[in-house]
Amino acid sequence: MKNLAVIGAQWGDEGKGKIVDLLCQDYDVVARYQGGHNAGHTVKFGEKHFSLRLIPSGILHPDKLCILGNGMVIDPEALLDEIEQLRGLGVTIDNNLKISDSAHVILPYHRALDLAREEAAGEAKIGTTGRGIGPAYETKVSRYGIRVADLLDPDVLRDKIEFACAEKNPVLQGVYGKPPFDPRKLFDDYTRFGEVLAERITNGTVLINDEMRAGRSVMFEGAQGTLLDIDHGTYPYVTSSNTVVGGICTGLGVAPKHIHHVTGVAKAYTTRVGGGAFPTELNDAHGEHLRKRGNEFGTVTGRPRRTGWLDLAVLRTAVMLNGIDAVALTKLDVLDEFDEIPVCTEYNVHGERWRTFPAFAVSHHDFKPVYRTFKGWKTSTAGVTSYDDLPPAAKEYVRFIQDEAESAIAIISTGPRREETIVTTS
Ligand code: GDP
Ligand code: IMO
Ligand code: MG
């Protein structure tokens, strides 16, 4: 069995959780390689509903080994909460969940800094999830970060927490007027987290490479989306990790030759949460319809998501950056009631044609999306499981996307549940 990466092809919340859950039955290991509990991956089947944040969606299948890779930033408190919540829903979590000892730890001062900066930035705020993700990655790159392994070494942990507080407290107090953190309390709390998590902490790189050497197959579960990538996204309105396929190599210690296939997950329209350019955004009744019918409210923060038409320049960019072999097109059913469905085929940026997303910093106003309008199908596709049963206008829409993105649409999702899916290569 070949290894598969499942990656968000837009600005996150494309339905990665559903697709990972659907496809992971064929894999032995499911691993996250970046991000933290800024992610919110929803999985539904039957009457069951799960929301995964740090833990790979594969955890819902008890025979999968789930790994939190070194490229992640982990808030131990959030992880323990998630484990408890999932156990409360009947999910088995014992030896099937491992944490890389080299992943970085989010501490409360990271969260406080994230929130304080956003508050101070006012209108210019990024619109982060407020989970401390950015500041934790900053500390990692500064080389003074606390890694998961450090939770198991009291002397190292004490020194590192004291050093961090000596630096972060004056910033929190002096710059932002926020309360400081007591290093002794942090030390006690994080030592305890280390004790509880100890049995799960391991050399994640050796573990995953041993698994592959033993012939087991791996699914790499992306979080966020391609245009939220720190290097390739709509900087500065991005997250702080490499969400694109390259992040797998560094975020798990997996060589490129082990990434055999890439599935990009894209909604049949577009959403984003937080600030930043969104050329096809709709601030009208159509946008509201997408939000209501698509239930476009953040899994993590409950914020209403911004909504807009499908943007092929975004999808092409994702295909290029990730080498996407197949697209999983989600939420087709959300478009069922529209009379007409415009799709952005390219942009006019100051008179120039752009078929991919411009990498330079651009404001909303620099883009003029060029649309091609499709006739709506005005028929319910909700729950359809066979391509043949789609209305002709929906087939035309899907075919156009496939041709323009130059990538096969292998999966069409017609509802939030696992069973509401069309698997096709047409
Ligand atoms: P992720 O972060 O990429 O895993 O996506 P989220 O779970 O944050 O957001 C996707 C939302 O759309 C969730 O509420 C899913 O239950 C829902 N969803 C996924 N696929 C479909 C679909 O095909 N149709 C509809 N109506 N909802 C879907
Ligand atoms: P999943 O995995 C959608 C967005 C935030 C904000 C920016 C930076 O569920 O698709 P951060 O807290 O990461 O510093 O926020 O990134 N963002 C997401 N948007 N889905 C996500 O995850 C996101 N994770 C972060 O809204 O704009
Ligand atoms: Mg999400």
Side-chain angles (χ1 to χ4, degrees):
M1 179 61 63
K2 290 183 164 186
N3 301 330
L4 170 70
V6 176
I7 292 181
Q10 293 159 325
W11 278 284
D13 301 325
E14 298 92 346
K16 298 176 290 296
K18 166 170 173 168
I19 301 302
V20 168
D21 170 69
L22 181 78
L23 299 180
C24 79
Q25 42 203 340
D26 294 335
Y27 296 84
D28 301 305
V29 178
V30 185
R32 281 269 309 265
Y33 57 93
Q34 45 70 233
H37 65 315
N38 47 351
H41 297 178
T42 314
V43 177
K44 293 185 180 176
F45 49 88
E47 291 315 304
K48 300 207 173 195
H49 177 169
F50 302 90
S51 175
L52 289 310
R53 290 170 294 159
L54 276 161
I55 301 180
S57 306
I59 200 75
L60 304 178
H61 302 246
D63 56 333
K64 312 296 170 203
L65 172 65
C66 290
I67 302 176
L68 307 190
N70 59 275
M72 294 183 71
V73 284
I74 295 173
D75 179 330
E77 197 173 1
L79 178 58
L80 291 171
D81 280 354
E82 190 172 343
I83 292 173
E84 275 323 295
Q85 264 180 34
L86 289 171
R87 281 188 172 146
L89 293 168
V91 178
T92 306
I93 305 184
D94 42 46
N95 275 337
N96 52 348
L97 180 64
K98 296 289 179 191
I99 308 166
S100 167
D101 54 7
S102 309
H104 277 251
V105 180
I106 300 182
L107 285 101
Y109 44 75
H110 292 131
R111 204 160 45 238
L113 277 169
D114 191 358
L115 294 169
R117 272 193 199 143
E118 287 280 277
E119 192 184 308
E123 287 288 291
K125 71 177 180 193
I126 293 165
T128 71
T129 60
R131 299 297 190 265
I133 305 292
Y137 275 115
E138 282 169 45
T139 315
K140 167 179 173 171
V141 176
S142 79
R143 296 157 297 171
Y144 291 98
I146 294 174
R147 303 209 281 184
V148 167
D150 298 331
L151 299 176
L152 306 179
D153 187 331
D155 292 334
V156 170
L157 185 63
R158 187 182 296 104
D159 283 354
K160 285 194 166 189
I161 287 181
E162 278 173 6
F163 185 85
C165 284
E167 187 189 41
K168 314 278 188 214
N169 279 343
V171 176
L172 278 167
Q173 288 178 285
V175 179
Y176 298 113
K178 300 292 177 193
F181 286 91
D182 174 4
R184 276 162 309 186
K185 176 162 181 354
L186 290 185
F187 173 73
D188 290 345
D189 290 347
Y190 281 71
T191 305
R192 208 177 56 249
F193 291 143
E195 286 164 6
V196 181
L197 293 172
E199 59 181 0
R200 306 189 184 284
I201 300 173
T202 188
N203 183 323
T205 303
V206 169
L207 174 64
I208 199 164
N209 280 283
D210 279 352
E211 288 289 317
M212 293 189 297
R213 203 171 305 115
R216 284 187 276 275
S217 56
V218 183
M219 173 179 276
F220 307 105
E221 177 173 346
Q224 290 78 54
T226 298
L227 286 205
L228 289 171
D229 183 276
I230 182 72
D231 286 287
H232 299 285
T234 44
Y235 190 91
Y237 297 96
V238 292
T239 192
S240 299
S241 63
N242 284 116
T243 60
V244 295
V245 73
I248 295 171
C249 297
T250 53
L252 280 162
V254 163
K257 67 180 177 184
H258 295 301
I259 307 167
H260 304 127
H261 192 90
V262 182
T263 290
V265 187
K267 277 178 192 168
Y269 51 97
T270 311
T271 64
R272 86 174 290 182
V273 206
F278 184 170
T280 62
E281 182 167 18
L282 291 165
N283 288 306
D284 59 9
H286 289 328
E288 197 49 42
H289 181 83
L290 286 172
R291 185 156 35 248
K292 277 223 180 79
R293 197 171 153 87
N295 191 23
E296 296 297 355
F297 297 89
T299 325
V300 176
T301 56
R303 290 179 291 178
R305 295 177 185 145
R306 298 160 64 194
T307 53
W309 301 123
L310 183 70
D311 187 332
L312 289 168
V314 168
L315 192 51
R316 272 186 217 110
T317 305
V319 169
M320 172 178 73
L321 288 169
N322 299 301
I324 288 173
D325 299 293
V327 169
L329 189 71
T330 61
K331 306 190 92 161
L332 186 71
D333 55 298
V334 175
L335 298 177
D336 283 350
E337 289 172 2
F338 286 106
D339 294 328
E340 290 189 327
I341 307 171
V343 177
C344 168
T345 54
E346 61 184 32
Y347 311 127
N348 178 333
V349 183
H350 303 305
E352 266 184 60
R353 287 175 61 191
W354 280 81
R355 285 175 60 80
T356 50
F357 205 95
F360 51 88
V362 273
S363 84
H364 292 55
H365 310 292
D366 293 326
F367 292 93
K368 287 197 178 47
V370 177
Y371 288 106
R372 167 154 174 186
T373 298
F374 286 79
K375 242 174 91 90
W377 41 93
K378 309 274 282 176
T379 316
S380 174
T381 63
V384 168
T385 54
S386 152
Y387 184 79
D388 292 341
D389 292 342
L390 286 179
K395 285 183 184 161
E396 195 187 336
Y397 185 72
V398 170
R399 264 198 306 267
F400 182 73
I401 297 167
Q402 177 166 275
D403 292 347
E404 288 289 314
E406 293 181 17
S407 184
I409 294 182
I411 294 174
I412 301 167
S413 173
T414 56
R417 289 184 183 73
R418 193 189 276 170
E419 41 294 2
E420 296 168 315
T421 310
I422 300 168
V423 178
T424 172
T425 43
S426 55

